[in-house]
């Protein structure tokens, strides 16, 4: 797109001299688009937003793409004996806990003993629940760069228990992982249930003959959160540290067994049981988003969804934004789309794209949640740790419909939960290679409906399409006006007029880069500071840096005299090009961030224009344009946008507490190595500042 | 690339001390990157270090040699044995408290600085000749050299501040040394130090085979002299210039040679050929001495030049060949190898040579840019070299078309490359096609860059011709009246 446009921009210039040459059709199309860029940019942006709203309509039904999976084709072998094994473990743990208050290690021993009784190899792993720290360069390095802390205290550490069943038909090179997060000290009754389900299954798997991949059951110590223990175990699994950890010394009991491994992981399932289902059936929630909007292969979700719905009768759901379900404007859209769909169906019975308004609402709420968690870049559960090692993983959260102490229902619940996991494992067990057949880039609108990358990219492409067009047309305008104004032909750099503007754009991007790194240094400031104080420090250092930049490089400042200032059309053209490159890059790294960012940045960049001529002319149209660009710029400031989105969610924030909240939010972003943080600092902020420069341009 | 534009602006202010400040700043920046505690593992990036230039492989080769094995054993090292003798000991030496390779990085920083200074000297020569050529044409009549940019300073700063150069300097790749050899040969030819030019050429060829055809630009440079507008236009000018008597004494010497052919000094060229032979035999003797126990010269040729020409290592890089040869059938491999290697030689050299023989330095740029697209293991270091050579011609190339578009393309694709690599290797959600697509896009932009530069240069000559014709016509009219 950009290539075509830019092509033509030069073409226009050369055509001035020799109009006889008839350019190629594609070139003429480009010229036409550039010449009418204001109209087309409005059309394309509107189409982009509309396409985004249409996405729930365009969702396709999921299907199992990999034939080898064959979910549900084998009869379940899980028997009552296995389930009673699981029940026994749960009972024992409960009894043990009643007798021995707060002795976590003993519970681990108990679980370990059960595992080894079933014929598994058991190993214990100690880890340090180290907090996530901001480290600027960790964005660029892989997960291997985790370093062991020098001085660990014995006061707090966690212990993971892992049991491995060796597959009778396998060669020990592949494995499937089951994870149950469990708080050994104060785990509730629901957590016991998850142990019960997996131990029932484990008891079956230790007997079966069809296993060709080893099974690892990891009981993760979730005292320090769900994610951290799994991540620590995975780090040890994939990149062992050969230093003797201090943790090994600080224990009265010897749990320093050898760490056991079982080949590459084909898939991982995290099972959690919590809360009571509000529905009549047992509910199964699927969480799939890993860091930076990465998703597991769609086939894994499909298998689980298929087995849960068609075999075990769970009510399957994925997360959705509940507040959207009652929004009236979305309902209106849904009804319009429904009416259009019905009309189309009447015209031609083959056109079946209409869906009921209620489905549309559900779909959009789910899609919004999917977009939000992908854009945030923070994994929605412990499965996120697996994705860093290219292992497909999902978290299954089961909510039973009975209270946890109901013995009679427990047996049935264990049976169905374990059968679901058995079926999934059996399918994955059939795989000869990694999951690759189905989609990796998709968004869910319901457990059985998805939007693939080819569809949702259209919305984004339409949204950013105006950027190269407007950049080209502005570039031509700017060049023309510059050629008229300069009189000295020898000093006239015909094709290098954009250099000054590029310098300004580059300086502000450099500034954005420094601002992005500043929190690292602020975290190094000695002493305990509240988030509010830190955010104030950050704000003052950044703004003083900006002032210094403006003073030392007068060309960059929006308040400079006319002599230094560059032509605003060219500046805007370069700004828009930078924004285009940044958004396109981000759309590849994390689509959801780019989409939300484009919704903000594209109108801001397109509307930005000097405010002074508008005020001077006093025409309604230009005043309206200036007003719009001021409003957009106000919303576009990251802190402001954060406050507004918080306000929409019902948490009004004003003044300094806002700064603290913002800081905490950003801290969570960089702690999870979210690329969204980089996007905000290195694309959004500089482009926003540049738009501000254009707004106050003295022309 | 972005920095380069920035420096253009800075240098336009023409403050002589600014150059040294920026040079110093670039050195400090490099040292900061080298000694900073953070390690972002640049040396393992496929864009920065190729199988042919990686210092890690060199260290491996040195280790093999220390343990009395052939350095080429095991297909790890493919560079020159002389480089192994020079850089090898440095890879094992450590500055206290620091990790190894820091000494090598210091060598690369010095090489970069030297290259920049030599580029500056070349640029100053070119600028002088540009001024001399333009003055009689009357283009600069009114403004005393005001329009001429200090292209030497610009080129040197472009070289020093180009992110590509910085990456390859900090990223433990030997390309700074290869670049230095090429620049030394050009410098020798520009200043007519024939032995130096021959030495640079031989070293560049020894380090990387693709520098061998640089012999043509060097011969032109020594035979015809520095870059100038083509001869026909000159003859016309001479006519006008003599009539008005406004030629400066410097240009008189060149202009008053009453030949209709380009003066070609065969003596210098023969001198050059002699020195080339001397240096090459010297290098060969040294190599054979160093590899005496390990198979001698034959092994060296097989493992270095053979490795380059046969494209044995198919690990991904920013070039376009690895993907192709990973897909090609085994039985057609030899045929394709011949075709591709000849393609580089036959498409670039003859056509460019005939169009640009009056501008040998520019010919060297065009050739280097062309090979850096089509060579078997390209890296960003090659791009750094040709971009800075290109900056030597900022005066001639002011009218280059599509400049902004090409600039955006370079930035976009260089940023996209690590993202695609991450997608393919680390996330597993992409595949090789993603990375190769990026490499193709990058190659397209490089092609466009070369094509537009050559076009702009030819247009510039055309414009000079027009200006000359107009001037002679005006003069004729004044003479008549």
């Amino acid at each position: 797109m950009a290539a075509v446009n830019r092509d033509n921009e030069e073409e226009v210039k050369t055509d001035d001299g020799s109009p006889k040459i008839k350019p190629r059709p594609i070139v003429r199309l480009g010229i036409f688009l550039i010449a009418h860029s204001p109209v087309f940019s409005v059309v394309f942006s509107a189409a982009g937003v509309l396409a985004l709203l249409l996405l729930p309509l365009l969702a396709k039904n999921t299907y199992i793409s990999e034939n080898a999976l064959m979910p549900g084709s084998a009869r379940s072998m899980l028997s009552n004996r296995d389930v009673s094994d699981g029940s026994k473990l749960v009972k024992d743990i409960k009894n043990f806990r009643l007798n021995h208050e707060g002795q976590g290690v003993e519970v681990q021993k108990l679980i370990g003993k059960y595992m080894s009784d079933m014929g598994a190899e058991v190993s214990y792993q100690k880890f340090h629940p180290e907090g996530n720290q901001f480290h600027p360069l960790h964005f660029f390095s892989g997960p291997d760069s985790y370093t062991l802390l020098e001085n660990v205290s014995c006061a707090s550490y966690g212990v993971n228990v892992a049991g491995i069943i060796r597959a009778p038909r396998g060669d020990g090179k592949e494995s499937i992982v089951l994870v149950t997060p469990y708080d050994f000290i104060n785990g509730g009754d629901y957590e016991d249930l998850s142990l019960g389900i997996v131990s029932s299954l484990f008891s079956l798997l230790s007997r079966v003959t069809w296993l060709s991949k080893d099974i690892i059951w990891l009981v993760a110590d979730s005292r320090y959160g769900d994610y951290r223990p799994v991540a620590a175990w995975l780090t040890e699994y994939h990149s062992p540290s050969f230093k003797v950890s201090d943790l090994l010394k600080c224990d009265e009991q010897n749990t320093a067994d050898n760490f056991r491994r079982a080949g590459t992981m084909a898939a991982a399932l995290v099972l959690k049981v919590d809360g009571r289902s509000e529905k009549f059936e047992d509910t199964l929630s699927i969480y799939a988003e890993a860091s930076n909007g990465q998703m597991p292969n769609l086939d894994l979700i499909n298998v689980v969804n298929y087995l849960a719905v068609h075999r075990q009768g769970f009510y399957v759901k994925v997360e959705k934004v509940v507040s959207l379900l009652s929004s009236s404007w979305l309902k209106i859209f849904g009804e319009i789309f429904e009416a259009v769909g019905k009309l189309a169906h009447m015209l031609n019975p083959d056109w079946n794209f209409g869906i009921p308004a209620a489905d549309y609402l559900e779909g959009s709420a789910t899609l919004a949640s999917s977009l939000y968690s992908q854009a945030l870049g923070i994994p929605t559960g412990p499965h996120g740790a697996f994705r860093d090692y290219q292992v497909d993983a999902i978290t299954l959260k089961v909510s039973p419909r009975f209270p946890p102490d109901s013995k009679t229902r427990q047996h049935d619940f264990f049976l169905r939960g374990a059968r679901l996991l058995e079926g999934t494992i059996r399918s994955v067990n059939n795989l000869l290679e990694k999951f690759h057949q189905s989609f990796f880039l998709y968004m869910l609108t319901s457990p059985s409906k998805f939007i693939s990358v080819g569809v949702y990219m259209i919305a984004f492409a339409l949204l950013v399409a105006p950027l190269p067009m407007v950049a080209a047309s502005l570039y031509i305008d700017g060049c023309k006006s510059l050629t008229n104004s300069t009189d000295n032909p020898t000093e006239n750099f015909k094709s290098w007029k954009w250099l000054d503007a590029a310098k300004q754009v580059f300086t502000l991007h450099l500034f954005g880069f420094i601002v992005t790194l500043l929190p690292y240094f602020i975290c190094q400031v000695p002493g305990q500071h509240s988030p509010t104080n830190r955010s104030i420090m950050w704000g003052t250092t950044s703004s003083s840096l900006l002032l210094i930049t403006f003073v030392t490089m007068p060309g960059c400042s929006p308040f400079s005299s006319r002599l230094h200032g560059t032509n605003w059309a060219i500046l805007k053209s370069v700004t828009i090009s930078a924004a285009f490159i940044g958004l396109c890059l981000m759309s590849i790294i994390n689509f959801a961030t780019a989409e939300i960012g484009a919704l903000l940045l594209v109108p801001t960049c397109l509307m930005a224009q000097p405010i002074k001529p508008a005020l001077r002319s006093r025409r309604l149209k230009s005043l309206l344009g200036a007003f719009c660009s001021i409003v957009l710029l106000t919303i576009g400031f990251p802190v402001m946008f954060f406050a507004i989105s918080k306000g929409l969610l019902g948490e009004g924030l004003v003044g300094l507490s806002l700064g603290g909240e913002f800081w905490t939010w950003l801290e969570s972003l960089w702690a999870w190595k979210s690329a969204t943080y980089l996007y905000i600092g290195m694309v959004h902020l500089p482009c926003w500042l540049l738009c501000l420069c254009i707004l106050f341009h003295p022309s | 690339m972005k920095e380069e534009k920035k420096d253009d602006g800075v240098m336009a202010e023409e403050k002589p001390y600014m150059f040294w400040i920026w040079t110093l700043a670039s050195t400090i920046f490099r040292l900061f990157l080298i000694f900073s505690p953070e390690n972002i593992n640049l040396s393992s990036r496929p864009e920065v270090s190729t199988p042919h230039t990686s210092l890690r492989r060199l260290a491996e080769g040195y280790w093999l040699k220390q343990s009395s094995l052939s350095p080429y054993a095991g297909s790890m090292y493919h560079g020159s044995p002389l480089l192994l003798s020079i850089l090898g000991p440095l890879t094992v030496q450590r500055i206290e408290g620091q990790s190894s390779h820091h000494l090598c990085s210091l060598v690369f920083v010095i090489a970069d600085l030297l290259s920049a200074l030599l580029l500056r000297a070349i640029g100053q020569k070119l600028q002088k000749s540009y001024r001399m050529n333009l003055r009689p044409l009357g283009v600069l009549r009114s403004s005393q050299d005001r329009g001429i940019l200090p292209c030497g300073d610009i080129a040197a700063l472009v070289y020093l501040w180009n992110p590509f150069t910085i990456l390859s300097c900090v990223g433990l790749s030997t390309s700074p040394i290869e670049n230095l050899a090429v620049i030394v040969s050009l410098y020798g030819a520009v200043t007519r130090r024939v032995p130096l030019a021959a030495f640079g050429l031989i070293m560049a060829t020894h380090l990387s085979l693709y520098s061998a055809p640089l012999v043509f630009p060097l011969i032109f440079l020594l035979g015809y002299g520095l870059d100038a507008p083509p001869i026909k236009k000159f003859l016309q000018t001479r006519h006008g210039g003599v009539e008005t008597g406004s030629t400066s004494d410097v240009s008189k010497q060149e202009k008053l040679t009453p030949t209709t052919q380009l003066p070609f000094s065969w003596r210098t060229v023969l001198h050059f050929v002699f020195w080339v032979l001397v240096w090459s035999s010297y290098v060969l003797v040294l190599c054979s001495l160093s590899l005496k126990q390990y198979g001698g010269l034959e092994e060296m040729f097989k493992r270095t030049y053979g490795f380059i020409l046969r494209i044995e290592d198919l690990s991904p890089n920013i070039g376009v060949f690895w993907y192709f040869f990973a897909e090609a059938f085994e039985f057609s491999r030899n045929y394709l190898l011949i075709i591709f290697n000849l393609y580089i030689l036959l498409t670039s050299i003859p056509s460019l040579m005939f169009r640009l023989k009056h501008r040998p330095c520019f010919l060297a740029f065009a050739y280097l840019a062309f090979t850096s697209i089509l060579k078997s293991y390209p890296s960003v270091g090659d791009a750094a070299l040709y971009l800075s050579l290109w900056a030597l011609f900022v005066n001639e190339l002011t009218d280059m078309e599509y400049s902004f578009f090409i600039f955006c393309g370079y930035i976009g694709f260089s940023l996209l490359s690590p993202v695609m690599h991450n997608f393919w290797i680390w996330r597993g959600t992409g595949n090789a096609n993603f990375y190769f697509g990026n490499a193709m896009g990058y190659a397209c932009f490089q092609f466009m860059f070369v094509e537009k530069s050559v076009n702009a240069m030819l247009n510039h000559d055309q414009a000079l011709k027009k200006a000359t014709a107009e001037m002679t016509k005006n003069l004729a009219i004044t003479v008549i009246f």
Side-chain angles (χ1 to χ4, degrees), chain B residues 293-424:
Chain B
Q293 306 102 299
Y294 316 116
L297 284 181
E298 191 193 344
E299 176 78 359
M300 182 192 89
F301 281 124
K302 214 169 84 190
R303 293 312 192 105
T304 55
Y305 293 168
F307 179 73
I308 292 174
L309 291 178
R310 293 184 53 82
I311 316 186
E312 283 164 9
D313 192 317
L314 297 178
S315 57
N317 57 40
I318 51 173
V320 285
F321 284 170
W322 60 274
Y323 188 85
F324 195 85
F325 280 98
E327 302 280 319
F329 288 114
E330 198 55 44
F331 60 82
S332 56
R333 196 183 151 89
N334 287 334
Y335 168 72
L336 290 171
L337 279 175
I338 294 168
I339 293 290
F340 277 114
N341 284 315
L342 282 184
Y343 182 76
I344 303 177
L345 210 63
L346 294 185
T347 49
S348 62
I349 290 289
S351 53
L352 286 173
M353 230 163 66
F354 286 114
R355 279 322 283 272
L356 292 170
K357 67 177 171 195
H358 56 284
R359 292 195 177 275
C361 276
F362 191 74
L363 177 63
F365 150 74
Y367 173 71
L368 284 171
F370 205 81
T371 41
S372 91
I373 307 167
L374 291 175
K375 75 199 284 192
S376 42
Y377 311 105
S379 72
V380 290
D382 303 312
L385 177 65
Y386 76 74
L387 284 174
S388 49
L389 282 183
W390 172 88
L392 286 172
F393 303 95
V394 276
N395 287 310
E396 287 91 336
L397 296 174
T398 47
D399 295 342
M400 199 173 127
E401 286 177 330
Y402 297 81
S403 54
F404 183 51
F405 178 49
I406 293 173
F407 174 65
C408 287
Y410 263 83
I411 289 185
F413 278 108
S414 8
L415 292 177
L416 200 59
S417 169
V419 173
M420 288 303 189
H421 192 258
N422 180 278
F423 238 58
W424 174 26

Side-chain angles (χ1 to χ4, degrees), chain A residues 140-291:
Chain A
F140 310 110
S141 51
D144 297 359
S145 64
Y146 162 73
T147 46
L148 207 70
L149 285 186
E150 290 297 317
N151 46 353
V152 285
S153 64
C154 290
S156 60
Y157 63 89
V159 179
N160 291 327
V161 189
I164 300 174
I165 296 175
R166 299 293 172 191
R169 285 160 174 264
D171 50 3
K173 284 181 183 159
E174 280 181 307
S175 59
I176 303 170
V177 187
L178 289 166
V179 183
T180 44
Y182 186 74
D183 188 342
F184 291 112
I185 303 291
N186 36 19
D189 292 332
Y190 283 116
E191 283 196 334
D192 292 341
L193 292 185
S194 69
L195 284 185
I197 292 179
V198 178
S199 64
S200 312
L201 176 69
F202 214 60
S203 131
L204 166 76
L205 292 178
S206 59
R207 293 186 286 112
V208 294
T209 48
W210 45 260
L211 267 188
S212 62
K213 292 181 169 64
D214 296 350
I215 303 290
I216 307 177
W217 177 18
L218 173 70
V219 183
D221 189 350
S222 66
R223 253 176 302 172
Y224 308 103
D226 284 350
Y227 183 90
R228 181 66 207 133
V230 180
W233 183 77
L234 279 170
T235 313
E236 182 65 28
Y237 192 93
H238 287 102
S239 49
S241 62
F242 295 103
K243 277 189 216 161
V244 177
S245 166
D246 294 348
L247 281 176
L248 292 182
K249 298 168 201 153
C250 53
D251 192 14
E252 66 281 6
Q253 295 177 20
N254 182 25
T255 53
D257 288 341
N258 283 330
F259 192 88
R260 300 202 177 262
R261 293 186 178 73
T264 55
M265 300 170 185
L269 297 166
V270 183
L271 184 77
K272 286 164 93 172
V273 179
D274 78 340
R276 213 177 138 184
S277 171
E278 301 109 17
K279 295 270 173 185
F280 180 65
E281 305 129 301
D282 297 332
T283 312
L284 174 72
S285 320
I286 298 177
Y287 295 86
E289 286 88 0
S291 59

Side-chain angles (χ1 to χ4, degrees), chain A residues 547-563:
Chain A
L547 272 181
I548 292 170
T549 321
F550 283 164
V551 169
T552 48
M553 308 189 86
C556 295
S557 156
F559 310 108
S560 64
S561 66
R562 200 171 176 166
L563 255 180

Side-chain angles (χ1 to χ4, degrees), chain A residues 664-677:
Chain A
T664 329
W665 182 68
L666 284 185
E667 214 166 28
S668 71
L669 282 190
W670 68 63
W672 293 103
K673 293 186 196 171
S674 170
T676 307
Y677 177 67

